[in-house]
Amino acid sequence: MPKFNVLVTRRLPIAFDQLNQIASVEIWPERQPPPYKVLLEKIKAIDGLLCLLTDQIDRQLLETGTSLKVISQMAVGYDNVDIQTANARHLPVGHTPDVLTNATADFAWTLLMAAARRVVEADRFVRGGQWQTWEPDLLLGPDITGATLGIVGLGRIGQAVARRAKGFEMRILYANKHQCDPEVEQSLNAEFVTFDRLLQESDFVTIHTPLTEDTYHLFSEQQFEQMKRSAILINTARGPIVDLDALYQALKSHQIAAAAIDVTDPEPIPTQSLLLTLDNLIITPHIASASRQAREKMARMAIANLIAGLQGKRLPHCVNPEVYLISSEREDCSMS
Ligand code: GLV
């Protein structure tokens, strides 16, 4: 008899052999996430939850799941999980860093190059039957080689983006909560600058910071006003970091030249959104980590976190290791 009950909120691209040996596994079968009400009901009877960034793991849910031992999120970001409540419940939360870093950095570059060289517009132009002849000024865009790249958030993914920029001989500026180690700066040839300076001097601005209270609408009207009129914005991080109404105005009025975003707020973006009418915007459906290899590795890592949590072991990739501190402190107290 399997010892544990587990819910996986979507079909994953790998087999669950190891997990099946210790747990009875329910997999939500639909393409859409389980509705919150369904999750709230199911959480009552499970020991472990493997969730995605589309699941809202809030206080009510965590407090309702009284038998929960672990939350394992198949994503590197975890802004959908109420970590404070997880901590209060001494509940470890797992995530999947590193394995998607290269795929996400590759995709940020895909968007940067596609936006700069107007690939999506060009494709529409051809399919729309508008290609008449070679024209000297047809679909012009800026040079990428030698341009200034502003990276907002020089963590794992930001650094991987910077490594790729070296091949394009770019000048790299970065803004971050803290200045990185000199070795990191030197190896990337990246200069730590204020956010304002990054906005003013960059030809391309790419966002790689988590969504927090501090980064919510980090890009709004005032920031677009500071950017070059030729600047291009890339967002593969989280939708709410950019105020989309302000982005619409900035693109519509050519305050900035173009943007390419893989994330929106809300997701999916409503089909009637005015943003979808703009030629100088590329939008993709949150697929930056969607290489086959990255997604498989994410799924394996999420399962490894889940199994460790069920077995009462430390999660290999835990976002709130303070829960272990809390429990050892508790042990210390009970021993004294
Ligand atoms: C994707 O957005 C992730 O956080 O893994």
Side-chain angles (χ1 to χ4, degrees), residues 13-251:
I14 58 164
F16 291 170
D17 304 349
Q18 216 193 332
L19 183 61
N20 283 330
Q21 285 172 19
I22 62 161
S24 152
V25 183
E26 179 182 353
I27 302 169
W28 180 252
E30 321 262 325
R31 270 190 85 190
Q32 294 299 320
Y36 182 76
K37 267 175 119 172
V38 172
L39 212 50
L40 202 56
E41 196 47 44
K42 290 190 181 291
I43 203 93
K44 292 178 187 159
I46 59 171
D47 303 288
L49 176 69
L50 196 157
C51 55
L52 306 189
L53 51 85
T54 42
D55 302 312
Q56 188 193 337
I57 313 299
D58 63 7
R59 183 173 173 176
Q60 187 185 8
L61 198 88
L62 292 173
E63 287 179 347
T64 306
T66 48
S67 53
L68 273 178
K69 296 175 177 54
V70 57
I71 302 286
S72 175
Q73 160 121 321
M74 186 183 133
V76 64
Y78 47 87
D79 45 274
N80 57 313
V81 183
D82 178 349
I83 299 297
Q84 239 182 326
T85 304
N87 283 347
R89 288 222 35 220
H90 312 294
L91 198 57
V93 177
H95 72 149
T96 61
D98 300 319
V99 288
L100 48 62
T101 297
N102 284 327
T104 306
D106 288 346
F107 197 74
W109 268 94
T110 305
L111 289 183
L112 186 155
M113 298 186 79
R117 300 303 305 275
R118 302 172 64 179
V119 172
V120 176
E121 260 181 280
D123 180 79
R124 283 196 208 113
F125 181 85
V126 174
R127 288 171 199 263
Q130 294 175 71
W131 188 13
Q132 305 288 327
T133 181
W134 189 91
E135 295 173 69
D137 60 352
L138 179 62
L139 290 162
L140 299 182
D143 266 343
I144 297 167
T145 300
T148 298
L149 175 66
I151 302 180
V152 181
L154 200 69
R156 284 176 287 249
I157 297 172
Q159 290 183 27
V161 168
R163 280 194 290 278
R164 285 153 177 75
K166 283 175 99 182
F168 291 91
E169 299 160 28
M170 292 176 104
R171 174 177 170 237
I172 302 175
L173 307 178
Y174 78 96
N176 206 33
K177 221 167 167 186
H178 307 289
Q179 184 163 8
C180 294
D181 292 340
E183 306 86 75
V184 173
E185 290 187 339
Q186 270 164 27
S187 73
L188 299 172
N189 203 11
E191 185 186 351
F192 183 53
V193 293
T194 60
F195 183 48
D196 287 346
R197 204 178 132 203
L198 181 143
L199 293 174
Q200 288 153 14
E201 295 185 18
S202 300
D203 299 305
F204 298 94
V205 175
T206 182
I207 304 175
H208 301 289
T209 186
L211 173 63
T212 62
E213 274 174 21
D214 292 341
T215 61
Y216 178 81
H217 283 191
L218 184 63
F219 283 79
S220 197
E221 201 181 321
Q222 208 191 334
Q223 288 67 41
F224 293 127
E225 275 165 13
Q226 289 189 73
M227 289 169 71
K228 294 183 179 181
R229 289 189 88 84
S230 56
I232 294 179
L233 178 72
I234 314 299
N235 188 9
T236 51
R238 284 291 182 267
I241 297 172
V242 176
D243 171 351
L244 287 188
D245 292 335
L247 179 65
Y248 173 77
Q249 292 305 335
L251 290 170

